[in-house]
Amino acid sequence: MNAQGSAVEPDRMRADGYARRIDLPDAAATAALGAALAPFLRRGDLLALEGDLGAGKTTLARGLIGALGHRGPVPSPTFTLVQRYETDPVPVWHFDLYRIGHPDEIIELGFDEARAEGIVLLEWASRLGADLPAARLDIQLDYGASGRTRVARLSGQRAWADRLQDLRP
């Protein structure tokens, strides 16, 4: 267990990349995971967030965006589809693809610009289908057995193993 009470399974290297499971006992632990990820991110990074409604995608995003210096509210982008935050060292673009009708719509929302200039958080990333870039960190958030806890599963290309070796949520 770490300071937030989250159980952390050690990083695992797979032949094809990085995988890690983190138990999250409450919303504060989910936000803390987002905050813990923040210092490891850089321009061009894409975090693909998946999970059922209420599983913690926006909570994780709030923790990450706050840790990068944003002091205002971080609403869910469900209705606006995208929110942009001026953070340090680069801006964060927070997309929610739940309501898009076709993957091409994300281009109209500034997706290419976002990837070039900042960090991209992409809720409901699987809605992009085959258009989802391979260079990304996948974060799957699921309900725990009790229904009150959450489980985060992080996975990505092999490069994420080196970058996240010191991650302590």
Side-chain angles (χ1 to χ4, degrees):
M1 294 252 182
N2 66 11
Q4 284 77 30
S6 301
V8 179
E9 185 176 289
D11 294 353
R12 282 193 239 171
M13 278 304 300
R14 302 181 319 213
D16 61 342
Y18 170 80
R20 185 171 182 182
R21 174 195 159 113
I22 302 168
D23 293 322
L24 304 166
D26 53 28
T30 304
L33 174 58
L37 283 166
F40 297 96
L41 301 179
R42 56 188 178 226
R43 181 183 319 271
D45 282 345
L46 186 148
L47 278 64
L49 308 174
E50 288 290 339
D52 289 335
L53 289 171
K57 296 177 297 293
T58 300
T59 300
L60 185 138
R62 285 183 183 123
L64 190 151
I65 293 165
L68 290 173
H70 179 73
R71 296 295 167 238
V74 178
S76 171
T78 299
F79 297 105
T80 60
L81 303 180
V82 64
Q83 295 283 343
R84 185 178 188 274
Y85 300 94
E86 290 300 327
T87 57
D88 186 35
V90 297
V92 173
W93 295 61
H94 184 190
F95 292 85
D96 186 320
L97 304 184
Y98 186 74
R99 297 182 329 119
I100 68 163
H102 190 276
D104 289 344
E105 291 176 34
I106 195 169
I107 301 303
E108 296 171 22
L109 297 173
F111 184 67
D112 291 337
E113 178 185 351
R115 291 200 58 219
E117 80 171 44
I119 297 165
V120 173
L121 305 179
L122 199 56
E123 294 191 32
W124 301 97
S126 63
R127 305 273 314 215
L128 285 182
D131 294 327
L132 183 61
R136 66 181 187 271
L137 178 65
D138 292 317
I139 303 175
Q140 175 71 42
L141 294 161
D142 295 306
Y143 289 96
S146 72
R148 291 184 301 268
T149 62
R150 305 291 187 271
V151 175
R153 290 179 179 83
L154 285 64
S155 60
Q157 295 174 330
R158 190 169 182 84
W160 284 102
D162 292 333
R163 286 182 58 194
L164 297 178
Q165 69 182 349
D166 294 328
L167 176 67
R168 302 288 176 257

